[in-house]
Amino acid sequence: MEKIETAVQKAFDKYPTRLEVLRELLKREGLEQDKNLREDYLRLEKGAEGEQDLVNYLEKYGEAHWVILRNVWLDFYGEFEIDLLLITRGGLYSFEVKNYSGNLELIDSQCRMNGHSIGQNPFSQAQKVPVQLKEMFKHQSRHPEIQGVLVFIGENNHVTIQDQVSGIQVLCRNELMHYIWQIARQERNYLGYPVEVDTVLAALRSYEIGKPSKEKEIPQTAKEYLRKGVCCCYCGSFDVKAKNGYVICSCGMHEPKTEAILRTICEYGIIYHEKNLTTTGLTDFFDGFITRKTISRYLNKYFERVGSYKGAEYLNKKKSIADVCQNFDLKESKYLKIR
Ligand SMILES: [Zn+2]
């Protein structure tokens, strides 16, 4: 299965996502004072996990030539997101993924989770997407078949539906494999003109927005009292020591020191993604783990210099080390040694 990105998504890739920033703040105790931000983080993390589960199912049970787009934000008479859009030769499948735990009921148009009504009705949310997509394709010469799918992917999610839910397919996790096989069967039996990925991208292009326009800024207060220093790349503990070229944690993780330093610079870059990198800012962030001179050496070697000689700044990559490590030419690997 091929994962592709739209041109708008590629442009937004230069910035960390809200979840990426919140993950870094969590590591450094930045979410402890802000209950809303913590809940926001948990919701995003759970959603991302659920979506990844769906991708894993599609990879395992789907066809190798299928193409997927993830997290496409569109504005078509209102903003909405497609969690995952599957493009097969036979049609489009827009997946809305809900990763709930507990008992979800849809009875008399009331949607309840463990007995409490929930803010956004996932059924009506999922029903809108294929309707909107069909409208967007109206001006294209060919109109692919579009199926909306709502997946309750949570392992511990029990779903009771008494109402008729029209226009979409509703699935629980244990039905997903068979449904993916059914998509493959529908594709094999499809006799029409094959759906072209470029046509799909062209239809979405003019409505794409990259992210919700009302996405809340993360308050600066959450960044004020962050824990400084280098943490373990495996367990997150700050109780690490540098020895023989490695950063060693009591959990057994041995990370090459060069990598740990670059990783921490990247973490800083995600948290302060609106700024360039400076020796002063990073010296404060490393909190004595390495000297100012070493930081300066790393910035000169691995990051692109911008600005004047005096107030030297370096281009912030704004991404985690996993996303940019190909630029760093790291030779040694980290390893876990459990005593
Ligand atoms: Zn550790």
Side-chain angles (χ1 to χ4, degrees):
M1 200 175 59
E2 194 191 350
K3 296 167 198 165
I4 60 164
E5 286 190 310
T6 65
V8 172
Q9 285 181 322
K10 281 179 194 154
F12 272 86
D13 258 358
K14 295 189 185 86
Y15 305 95
T17 62
R18 186 177 175 81
L19 178 57
E20 282 167 337
V21 179
L22 291 175
R23 274 181 189 145
E24 293 305 332
L25 295 181
L26 176 81
K27 269 193 218 168
R28 294 176 185 272
E29 298 161 16
L31 304 183
E32 286 183 10
Q33 304 304 322
D34 193 330
K35 188 168 167 269
N36 290 339
L37 214 52
R38 212 160 51 237
E39 280 171 4
D40 202 20
Y41 161 75
L42 289 172
R43 185 182 56 78
L44 289 171
E45 194 71 274
K46 203 146 194 252
E49 262 171 40
E51 288 166 22
Q52 187 55 48
D53 282 354
L54 171 62
V55 172
N56 296 346
Y57 266 87
L58 286 166
E59 268 178 345
K60 192 166 175 187
Y61 302 110
E63 300 285 346
H65 64 266
W66 286 356
V67 172
I68 58 164
L69 280 165
R70 294 181 66 175
N71 308 111
V72 186
W73 274 96
L74 300 160
D75 185 359
F76 187 78
Y77 302 106
E79 295 179 9
F80 65 101
E81 186 190 23
I82 307 175
D83 288 338
L84 188 143
L85 186 68
L86 168 67
I87 308 168
T88 79
R89 287 175 194 149
L92 300 184
Y93 298 81
S94 66
F95 284 87
E96 175 67 36
V97 185
K98 294 292 175 199
N99 189 10
Y100 296 147
S101 303
N103 195 17
L104 184 90
E105 297 168 299
L106 181 68
I107 299 166
D108 299 331
S109 312
Q110 287 284 314
C111 195
R112 289 171 181 276
M113 186 73 194
N114 298 327
H116 303 283
S117 60
I118 52 173
Q120 208 174 21
N121 181 332
F123 297 92
S124 49
Q125 197 190 344
Q127 278 167 322
K128 273 185 214 152
V129 178
V131 177
Q132 304 278 68
L133 279 176
K134 271 174 201 152
E135 279 297 311
M136 285 182 212
F137 278 89
K138 230 161 90 177
H139 305 294
Q140 301 282 327
S141 54
R142 291 194 187 88
H143 307 158
E145 291 288 328
I146 300 168
Q147 175 67 56
V149 190
L150 172 60
V151 189
F152 292 103
I153 199 111
E155 274 171 318
N156 301 310
N157 185 197
H158 185 260
V159 182
T160 309
I161 303 169
Q162 283 191 2
D163 296 7
Q164 276 279 13
V165 181
S166 60
I168 53 166
Q169 180 78 43
V170 181
L171 302 170
C172 288
R173 191 185 182 98
N174 61 352
E175 297 167 299
L176 197 49
M177 180 186 75
H178 282 280
Y179 186 68
I180 295 168
W181 285 347
Q182 189 188 317
I183 296 174
R185 242 187 343 268
Q186 277 168 353
E187 186 187 36
R188 283 195 294 276
N189 296 334
Y190 175 72
L191 298 171
Y193 192 88
V195 178
E196 284 167 350
V197 174
D198 286 344
T199 317
V200 177
L201 293 177
L204 300 179
R205 192 167 300 140
S206 35
Y207 307 107
E208 238 201 302
I209 52 171
K211 66 172 193 172
S213 62
K214 292 197 184 77
E215 187 173 83
K216 276 182 275 164
E217 290 281 326
I218 294 171
Q220 284 301 320
T221 47
K223 301 182 182 179
E224 263 169 33
Y225 302 106
L226 292 182
R227 182 138 189 199
K228 294 170 184 175
V230 173
C231 63
C232 169
C233 64
Y234 188 66
C235 75
S237 162
F238 281 82
D239 190 13
V240 294
K241 287 186 181 64
K243 199 180 164 190
N244 302 333
Y246 280 87
V247 170
I248 303 168
C249 174
S250 56
C251 76
M253 177 46 78
H254 290 57
E255 184 182 24
K257 197 174 170 194
T258 307
E259 185 171 330
I261 292 168
L262 289 169
R263 172 175 59 79
T264 306
I265 296 175
C266 290
E267 290 170 0
Y268 174 91
I270 290 174
I271 297 168
Y272 302 103
H273 53 96
E274 65 286 349
K275 297 187 210 169
N276 280 323
L277 305 175
T278 60
T279 316
T280 304
L282 280 160
T283 304
D284 178 52
F285 193 70
F286 272 91
D287 197 26
F289 189 83
I290 45 172
T291 62
R292 186 185 171 93
K293 214 172 139 191
T294 309
I295 291 166
S296 182
R297 187 161 55 80
Y298 270 77
L299 287 174
N300 277 313
K301 183 167 175 190
Y302 294 100
F303 295 84
E304 192 186 322
R305 194 175 176 141
V306 286
S308 65
Y309 177 77
K310 225 177 163 197
E313 294 192 351
Y314 298 80
L315 205 62
N316 186 347
K317 296 184 193 291
K318 303 174 188 173
K319 284 279 151 186
S320 74
I321 190 156
D323 291 328
V324 294
C325 59
Q326 69 276 12
N327 304 325
F328 292 149
D329 190 29
L330 299 168
K331 292 192 175 69
E332 284 157 299
S333 312
K334 48 180 172 274
Y335 63 92
L336 199 60
K337 188 170 149 191
I338 298 163
R339 274 172 290 176

mmCIF file of all heavy atoms in Angstrom, residues 11 100 155 210 214 237-238 257 337:
data_model
loop_
_atom_site.group_PDB
_atom_site.id
_atom_site.type_symbol
_atom_site.label_atom_id
_atom_site.label_comp_id
_atom_site.label_asym_id
_atom_site.label_seq_id
_atom_site.Cartn_x
_atom_site.Cartn_y
_atom_site.Cartn_z
ATOM 1 N N ALA A 11 3.587 20.909 2.223
ATOM 2 C CA ALA A 11 3.949 22.246 2.716
ATOM 3 C C ALA A 11 3.811 22.302 4.239
ATOM 4 O O ALA A 11 4.653 22.873 4.931
ATOM 5 C CB ALA A 11 3.074 23.296 2.052
ATOM 6 N N TYR A 100 -12.524 4.565 20.849
ATOM 7 C CA TYR A 100 -13.164 4.709 22.157
ATOM 8 C C TYR A 100 -12.933 3.466 23.006
ATOM 9 O O TYR A 100 -12.717 2.368 22.478
ATOM 10 C CB TYR A 100 -14.679 4.854 21.999
ATOM 11 C CG TYR A 100 -15.167 6.079 21.266
ATOM 12 C CD1 TYR A 100 -16.318 6.013 20.480
ATOM 13 C CD2 TYR A 100 -14.523 7.306 21.372
ATOM 14 C CE1 TYR A 100 -16.815 7.130 19.819
ATOM 15 C CE2 TYR A 100 -15.011 8.425 20.712
ATOM 16 C CZ TYR A 100 -16.155 8.329 19.933
ATOM 17 O OH TYR A 100 -16.640 9.432 19.280
ATOM 18 N N GLU A 155 -10.275 -1.527 21.078
ATOM 19 C CA GLU A 155 -10.378 -2.948 21.427
ATOM 20 C C GLU A 155 -11.432 -3.188 22.499
ATOM 21 O O GLU A 155 -12.062 -4.228 22.552
ATOM 22 C CB GLU A 155 -9.016 -3.441 21.947
ATOM 23 C CG GLU A 155 -8.104 -3.868 20.838
ATOM 24 C CD GLU A 155 -6.693 -4.143 21.332
ATOM 25 O OE1 GLU A 155 -6.178 -3.368 22.166
ATOM 26 O OE2 GLU A 155 -6.113 -5.123 20.876
ATOM 27 N N GLY A 210 -5.084 22.079 4.934
ATOM 28 C CA GLY A 210 -3.880 21.659 5.681
ATOM 29 C C GLY A 210 -4.119 21.394 7.147
ATOM 30 O O GLY A 210 -3.673 20.410 7.696
ATOM 31 N N LYS A 214 -9.189 27.121 13.024
ATOM 32 C CA LYS A 214 -9.364 27.575 14.410
ATOM 33 C C LYS A 214 -8.523 26.757 15.390
ATOM 34 O O LYS A 214 -8.820 26.737 16.585
ATOM 35 C CB LYS A 214 -10.840 27.504 14.803
ATOM 36 C CG LYS A 214 -11.683 28.515 14.053
ATOM 37 C CD LYS A 214 -13.028 28.721 14.726
ATOM 38 C CE LYS A 214 -13.918 29.648 13.937
ATOM 39 N NZ LYS A 214 -14.533 29.007 12.764
ATOM 40 N N SER A 237 13.267 9.056 31.199
ATOM 41 C CA SER A 237 13.844 9.488 32.473
ATOM 42 C C SER A 237 14.955 10.524 32.238
ATOM 43 O O SER A 237 15.692 10.449 31.247
ATOM 44 C CB SER A 237 14.423 8.269 33.196
ATOM 45 O OG SER A 237 15.317 8.690 34.201
ATOM 46 N N PHE A 238 15.050 11.480 33.165
ATOM 47 C CA PHE A 238 16.125 12.467 33.063
ATOM 48 C C PHE A 238 17.358 12.027 33.863
ATOM 49 O O PHE A 238 18.344 12.737 33.922
ATOM 50 C CB PHE A 238 15.625 13.836 33.545
ATOM 51 C CG PHE A 238 14.805 14.529 32.498
ATOM 52 C CD1 PHE A 238 13.459 14.213 32.342
ATOM 53 C CD2 PHE A 238 15.362 15.462 31.644
ATOM 54 C CE1 PHE A 238 12.698 14.840 31.353
ATOM 55 C CE2 PHE A 238 14.612 16.090 30.661
ATOM 56 C CZ PHE A 238 13.273 15.770 30.516
ATOM 57 N N LYS A 257 26.216 9.439 22.241
ATOM 58 C CA LYS A 257 26.090 10.803 22.765
ATOM 59 C C LYS A 257 25.742 11.808 21.659
ATOM 60 O O LYS A 257 24.922 12.698 21.860
ATOM 61 C CB LYS A 257 27.396 11.196 23.482
ATOM 62 C CG LYS A 257 27.217 12.391 24.376
ATOM 63 C CD LYS A 257 28.467 12.697 25.184
ATOM 64 C CE LYS A 257 28.318 14.054 25.877
ATOM 65 N NZ LYS A 257 29.568 14.556 26.398
ATOM 66 N N LYS A 337 20.635 -2.580 27.013
ATOM 67 C CA LYS A 337 21.372 -3.642 27.702
ATOM 68 C C LYS A 337 20.791 -3.753 29.109
ATOM 69 O O LYS A 337 20.939 -2.835 29.917
ATOM 70 C CB LYS A 337 22.856 -3.268 27.753
ATOM 71 C CG LYS A 337 23.740 -4.373 28.281
ATOM 72 C CD LYS A 337 25.184 -3.968 28.057
ATOM 73 C CE LYS A 337 26.085 -4.522 29.126
ATOM 74 N NZ LYS A 337 27.420 -3.910 29.057
#
